[in-house]
Amino acid sequence: MANPRSMTENSTSKIPWSKWHQKLHKELLLKPYLLPQDGFVLVAVSGGQDSMALLQLIIDLQRIYKWRIYVWHGNHSWHNESKRIAIALKEWCLKKEIKFYSNEANASSIQTEALARKWRYETLEGIAKTIIADQKRDITCNILTGHTASDRAETLLLNLARGTDLAGLGTLRIQRKINKKLLLTRPFLIFERNETAQICKELDITFWVDPTNKNNNLTRNNIRNLILTKLEKLYPGCSVRMASLAERFQNYKDDQKSLALLAINELKINKKSLCRTSFIELSISARATILTCWFSQIGMPIISSKTLEELSIKISQSPCGKRDLPNGWILEWAKEIILLKK
């Protein structure tokens, strides 16, 4: 059964300021692009400790940043308490005079974690676009999620187990641009899950425990409740270190892309051709990185790391050659040129 935690309503005349408020405020001052003043924010709230801690801190910091705050709740209909939680969240937001949106999924259509995630983000984008359209002026909206450093560590482990390249190790980017007017931001990556529990306890924040969190048949729950718990006992603080590693991988990926773009500019003969003689002087991995960025620039679909490696080797070993690629694209190479055509 869902487990509601009591909350003492904050006085409007005296809003609390804790070390948690200070930590988030410091992060936003350091990275002002994350949540600009006077911006529109749509907070995705499950009702659990992470998202409720995020929502309360955002509400408390509103007096400084003057955000326009909206809340969205996605009801997966996975357990008997889901409707009650949705109703309780709506009442909580009404008391705070915050605009509340809620959608209920067809449980049979989101039976996997991947499908549920897809439904959440697609629905969130739709709500955000509605908010933007209602303003009838040029604004940007930030979708906020309560992902923490602990979530980042879990995702890193999942991607490692499934098999991924370096790009897949840079998990849960702190901010991602969806389109010109819409951003996805994760300001709580600076906190661990045990810290969000402390925030809820110290600030007396209401939250609800989702009974499905104990279902270890769900892959992420298995990682969270069994594997990561054991790792923390063996190596205390490992979640934070793994999250930090994921951040460094993300930075490495961004740096790698920037350098690849510079290299492409040097190698480029025209938009769809590169200088082969200079290209083959590079390492195999550097060639694969350049091909990835070049293909992306031109608009070709993503291809596997294995195919990219094969192409990098063949282009250097065979004086001339040809390879059919997805969607009718063809890569050809001869003595001095690499050509991509359709």
Side-chain angles (χ1 to χ4, degrees):
M1 177 178 290
N3 179 24
R5 304 299 174 101
S6 64
M7 174 181 176
T8 303
E9 295 294 337
N10 294 322
S11 167
T12 56
S13 62
K14 186 179 180 182
I15 301 175
W17 188 267
S18 65
K19 64 181 180 180
W20 312 114
H21 294 87
Q22 181 62 31
K23 186 173 182 177
L24 181 57
H25 179 49
K26 184 178 179 181
E27 177 76 354
L28 296 179
L29 289 176
L30 183 65
K31 301 172 182 175
Y33 60 88
L34 287 181
L35 290 175
Q37 291 203 10
D38 300 313
F40 288 73
V41 297
L42 173 61
V43 188
V45 178
S46 67
Q49 69 178 46
D50 296 342
S51 61
M52 291 304 293
L54 169 64
L55 177 57
Q56 187 61 62
L57 291 195
I58 290 296
I59 290 171
D60 291 346
L61 291 177
Q62 183 185 29
R63 70 188 190 273
I64 298 173
Y65 292 92
K66 311 301 180 185
W67 298 308
R68 267 76 97 199
I69 301 173
Y70 303 80
V71 170
W72 177 81
H73 172 68
N75 177 2
H76 295 112
S77 303
W78 279 351
H79 56 82
N80 295 332
E81 292 294 306
S82 59
K83 286 187 178 180
R84 192 175 72 82
I85 292 175
I87 292 170
L89 278 170
K90 182 177 181 179
E91 293 175 350
W92 192 92
C93 288
L94 285 173
K95 289 180 181 178
K96 296 284 186 179
E97 298 182 344
I98 295 173
K99 178 70 174 179
F100 178 81
Y101 296 90
S102 180
N103 293 91
E104 183 174 344
N106 181 344
S108 63
S109 66
I110 56 164
Q111 293 182 351
T112 67
E113 294 169 84
L115 287 173
R117 187 182 308 109
K118 183 174 184 291
W119 172 77
R120 285 197 303 272
Y121 283 114
E122 286 179 351
T123 309
L124 268 168
E125 286 185 32
I127 297 296
K129 288 174 182 176
T130 298
I131 291 170
I132 292 170
D134 287 346
Q135 299 307 309
K136 296 179 181 179
R137 59 190 175 97
D138 189 23
I139 68 161
T140 299
C141 183
N142 247 299
I143 295 173
L144 308 190
T145 67
H147 288 105
T148 65
S150 305
D151 293 301
R152 211 174 203 178
E154 292 164 9
T155 306
L156 177 65
L157 285 175
L158 280 168
N159 288 347
L160 277 172
R162 289 167 176 159
T164 183
D165 58 13
L166 289 177
L169 299 179
T171 63
L172 296 180
R173 182 188 289 270
I174 192 169
Q175 189 171 71
R176 175 169 64 85
K177 187 175 183 179
I178 298 172
N179 59 44
K180 290 182 179 180
K181 296 184 178 181
L182 194 55
L183 299 165
L184 174 66
T185 303
R186 301 180 175 102
F188 253 35
L189 289 177
I190 58 173
F191 295 107
E192 300 174 64
R193 187 167 294 114
N194 66 344
E195 289 182 308
T196 63
Q198 292 177 52
I199 293 170
C200 290
K201 182 178 179 180
E202 292 177 18
L203 301 183
D204 198 15
I205 299 170
T206 302
F207 70 91
W208 292 263
V209 178
D210 186 336
T212 62
N213 287 345
K214 295 181 180 180
N215 179 7
N216 290 331
N217 290 324
L218 297 173
T219 306
R220 185 172 287 276
N221 287 349
N222 200 302
I223 294 286
R224 178 180 301 170
N225 300 331
L226 301 179
I227 298 172
L228 202 53
T229 299
K230 289 182 180 179
L231 284 174
E232 279 290 352
K233 288 181 180 179
L234 288 170
Y235 306 103
C238 68
S239 296
V240 176
R241 292 191 291 275
M242 282 190 281
S244 177
L245 178 63
E247 176 74 19
R248 293 197 296 277
F249 272 124
Q250 183 61 62
N251 292 337
Y252 172 79
K253 178 186 172 185
D254 293 341
D255 294 345
Q256 190 183 48
K257 182 178 179 180
S258 297
L259 292 171
L261 292 174
L262 288 174
I264 289 170
N265 288 334
E266 290 295 317
L267 295 167
K268 190 180 292 183
I269 297 172
N270 56 48
K271 184 179 180 181
K272 294 185 179 180
S273 62
L274 300 180
C275 174
R276 178 175 175 267
T277 51
S278 297
F279 179 84
I280 62 176
E281 292 178 0
L282 302 170
S283 68
I284 293 173
S285 59
R287 290 179 226 149
T289 300
I290 288 170
L291 288 177
T292 300
C293 291
W294 185 42
F295 292 167
S296 177
Q297 272 188 340
I298 294 173
M300 202 192 81
I302 295 172
I303 61 176
S304 69
S305 299
K306 183 179 179 181
T307 301
L308 286 166
E309 184 177 356
E310 289 174 358
L311 286 172
S312 301
I313 294 171
K314 285 185 177 181
I315 290 171
S316 65
Q317 291 180 344
S318 306
C320 61
K322 174 182 174 182
R323 178 69 177 264
D324 292 331
L325 299 173
N327 289 12
W329 287 95
I330 300 171
L331 187 70
E332 294 182 350
W333 60 95
K335 185 176 181 181
E336 295 182 352
I337 191 171
I338 303 168
L339 177 65
L340 186 63
K341 63 182 184 179
K342 191 172 183 179

